[in-house]
Amino acid sequence: MHLEGTILVGPDFEPVEGRVVVADGEIVRVEAESVESDDVILPAFVNAHTHIGDSIAKEAGEGLSLDELVAPPDGLKHRLLRSASHEEKVAAMARTLRYMESTGTGTFLEFREGGVDGVAALRDALAGEGVEFGERAIESVVFGRDDPDVLSVADGYGASGARDADFDAVRSETREAGKLFGIHAGERDADDINPAMDLDPDFLVHMVHAESIHLERVADRGTPVVVCPRSNLVTNVGVPPIRELTERTTVALGTDNVMTDSPSMFREMEFAAKLSDLPAREILRMATRNGAEIAGLNRGVVRKGADADLLVLDGDSDNLAGARDLVRAVVRRAGHADVSRVVIGGEPVVPRDD
Ligand SMILES: [Zn+2]
């Protein structure tokens, strides 16, 4: 299969008119050539931080503080999760997976509550178990918690935060299992940042309250950071120092809890771009390549040999027509209505054939 249009090629998203040739789930060639197409072809998004389990609780808990909302074990989110059945949770997550695909996300890094059962519920949603519209192509990298056995089924361990428990043992186990260890840090205040960094995590999430000493540590160790600025705004904890972080390490974007924010990377990119005023290229990398790098995946970039996870936008939509700077338009302006195709693992998932 091949796609034609203006291709945002490589890690710098250089616009090249031509063709992307795909075979066996991989990009085999990028050909520069004059083509008859207004399409814009870019890597599918990698959403670097989600909690899609709370898809059952969208917009619940208005006015609650961060802890009242999501702190384990008795924050509103955890009470709602406990009171919902497995089937309800799977059905709600499946709807979220389909929405994420339709908004151009090919991969997401999911922090999963509920131990082995929680991971099983996500796998059921991905497999379309008991869901009318069936299996999804979107790929999850699952970080489990709450259970000593969770590493046997998850791709890594996703710790709630250093103040919630002693994570030394599970940190070592995760390393021995050759899996990834991520942890929330600096969301409510700065107190849990150094203890989280002492665990030598593969990545940190949030870092809203990072101070200069923490920024130095991040730079020294090269620890990647996932930022979720819309979530931070909703939970009223401030906004992350995105610019300062990008000067020091790899930064990726995540949409965090479905409960508080729609898992659309278009929305997160626009918000992060306008908040930080970083170059659009940098923001697009945060929404694609950087998350893939954290997860050790060969995607999030259009180049020969990368996984064929691609997003095609209609460059002649009423929203995008006449854009003078294509990358800037994609980052700050594009949305769901501009999506014409989504390809995951070399297979088209939008438009759907069923
Ligand atoms: Zn989180």
Side-chain angles (χ1 to χ4, degrees), residues 211-234:
E211 296 163 358
S212 52
I213 178 165
H214 308 123
L215 294 171
E216 263 172 54
R217 282 191 84 180
V218 159
D220 283 351
R221 293 178 177 228
T223 310
V225 174
V226 181
V227 295
C228 311
R230 285 185 309 155
S231 167
N232 300 145
L233 197 70
V234 174

Side-chain angles (χ1 to χ4, degrees), residues 12 62 65 77 90 95 103 147 158 168 189 232 234 236 241 255 259 274 293 295 354:
D12 292 325
E62 185 183 354
S65 73
K77 159 178 164 159
V90 169
R95 297 291 294 269
T103 49
D147 191 330
D168 286 333
D189 54 48
N232 300 145
V234 174
N236 200 25
T255 59
M259 183 180 187
K274 292 178 179 175
E293 254 180 49
D354 59 8

